[in-house]
Amino acid sequence: MTVSVRHRPSFRVVCVVSLLSLAWLAGCATPRDTVVFVTKTSLGLDVDSNPPSASFAYDRVEGYVGPRFNSATAAPVAGSIATNGKLIGRSIRQTYATGHAAKLITLPAGATAPTAPIESYSGEHKVMFFGTSTVLGLKFAFSPSSAIDSFTLGYKRKEASFIPITASGVPSVLASVSTEAKAESLSNSDLQVEQFFATGVAADALAADPAIVQNFKRQSGDLVRYKANKEEQATLALESLTCVAKLADADLPDVWKNIGELRLLDDSAIVGRLNAAAPKDARALYTRELGLLAPDSPVRTGLMTAHRNHVCKVAS
């Protein structure tokens, strides 16, 4: 299995502040006068005693605590990580930057690099906080008494910010994560993760990067289509069930035949089970299978439309 974090040449993947270490570090300094920026990443098996946890996953915690200035600015921080994805012979590249360096590494490709800081850090300093936590895989977290406090199998993400406003506005922060997985076989599996984290003018620079803007719009469009497909498929399933309920048991084989011809269900063996079952059991199985929606598949929506049209025509 290959696990990788992709690194685009046009910008740096901006990450990773450890919220786990953040509280301890903030306690040793004054957040009004100090910026705390810490990175921690585990990719694979990780066991930690503070706080107690164990994971076999892509596990990343990121955060920032420091002053917010009257000019609605925050000290820029940025980091990046990239790996070739190999479990054996893995190579990892990681970058950590603050201040003017953070601004430089987040500039879009071809942009002119500023020669000196231009933002103002004068005026009253109020503490702001921004952080995220991401787990993709298997993770256990334990309480001080060694009892299991939380369990994650799959994807889990938390995001939070506390940013006092000023008359000039609100400082910029940006965080994003996207994943793509492929599991064709044990020898040909891939998990790619892309993650960004930035504050202040570094966040502004990333938000202006065309690649990140396009990714955000694509994700937003995917969500809209997903919700639309889900609603339409739920309506189609209800209409199909209503029409099938009107049919006599003798008409059910025609319904099962239509399912097979359309290849409506992912498991082709279901059609055989429908034909072999008693009418009451077959109807119950049909109801269950039709209720398993696939909102990420517009093809499934089209097949459900064709099936609804057929069974409702038979019922009429």
Side-chain angles (χ1 to χ4, degrees):
M1 178 180 178
T2 300
V3 182
S4 64
V5 179
R6 292 190 301 185
H7 179 72
R8 296 176 186 254
S10 60
F11 57 84
R12 306 283 182 169
V13 179
V14 178
C15 319
V16 162
V17 179
S18 174
L19 300 181
L20 306 179
S21 303
L22 195 57
W24 176 78
L25 288 173
C28 300
T30 304
R32 292 179 183 271
D33 302 315
T34 306
V35 173
V36 180
F37 178 46
V38 184
T39 69
K40 178 190 175 185
T41 305
S42 64
L43 189 59
L45 178 62
D46 179 55
V47 179
D48 205 333
S49 61
N50 186 25
S53 63
S55 65
F56 185 71
Y58 171 77
D59 189 4
R60 196 169 183 88
V61 189
E62 53 196 7
Y64 166 102
V65 63
R68 182 276 295 144
F69 304 101
N70 282 351
S71 56
T73 57
V77 299
S80 69
I81 182 172
T83 173
N84 62 359
K86 295 181 180 179
L87 295 180
I88 299 177
R90 176 184 297 159
S91 64
I92 296 176
R93 300 186 305 274
Q94 191 161 350
T95 303
Y96 177 101
T98 64
H100 194 52
K103 292 187 289 183
L104 295 178
I105 69 168
T106 54
L107 287 174
T112 302
T115 57
I118 57 174
E119 61 272 14
S120 172
Y121 295 146
S122 62
E124 182 185 4
H125 298 180
K126 289 189 177 181
V127 178
M128 62 173 281
F129 168 81
F130 173 50
T132 73
S133 172
T134 306
V135 176
L136 184 60
L138 174 65
K139 181 175 182 178
F140 294 89
F142 303 93
S143 66
S145 62
S146 299
I148 295 179
D149 189 51
S150 67
F151 168 73
T152 300
L153 177 60
Y155 174 78
K156 181 178 181 180
R157 181 167 171 86
K158 297 180 180 180
E159 301 169 321
S161 62
F162 176 80
I163 306 175
I165 63 173
T166 73
S168 302
V170 180
S172 298
V173 296
L174 183 148
S176 175
V177 62
S178 61
T179 66
E180 293 182 14
K182 179 178 65 176
E184 296 179 353
S185 66
L186 289 176
S187 60
N188 187 22
S189 298
D190 185 75
L191 173 62
Q192 297 179 328
V193 181
E194 217 171 43
Q195 193 160 346
F196 319 99
F197 184 92
T199 61
V201 292
D204 293 337
L206 281 177
D209 190 299
I212 294 182
V213 173
Q214 182 62 30
N215 184 57
F216 175 79
K217 290 183 177 180
R218 179 178 63 83
Q219 291 175 346
S220 300
D222 288 345
L223 180 60
V224 171
R225 287 188 290 271
Y226 182 93
K227 290 182 177 180
N229 274 329
K230 183 179 180 180
E231 293 176 1
E232 186 173 0
Q233 288 181 16
T235 300
L236 291 168
L238 180 61
E239 292 175 349
S240 298
L241 291 170
T242 300
C243 290
V244 169
K246 300 177 183 178
L247 296 177
D249 291 345
D251 295 323
L252 294 180
D254 181 69
V255 177
W256 315 152
K257 179 182 178 181
N258 179 256
I259 291 176
E261 291 174 342
L262 292 174
R263 297 182 180 179
L264 178 61
L265 304 178
D266 295 332
D267 187 356
S268 59
I270 296 295
V271 176
R273 292 173 56 189
L274 288 169
N275 283 309
K280 181 179 179 180
D281 294 334
R283 289 178 185 271
L285 178 59
Y286 172 74
T287 300
R288 187 191 71 186
E289 292 296 324
L290 208 62
L292 300 177
L293 308 180
D296 57 344
S297 174
V299 173
R300 179 67 176 271
T301 304
L303 294 176
M304 292 185 69
T305 301
H307 179 66
R308 186 277 314 271
N309 292 343
H310 177 80
V311 297
C312 289
K313 182 179 180 180
V314 174
S316 62

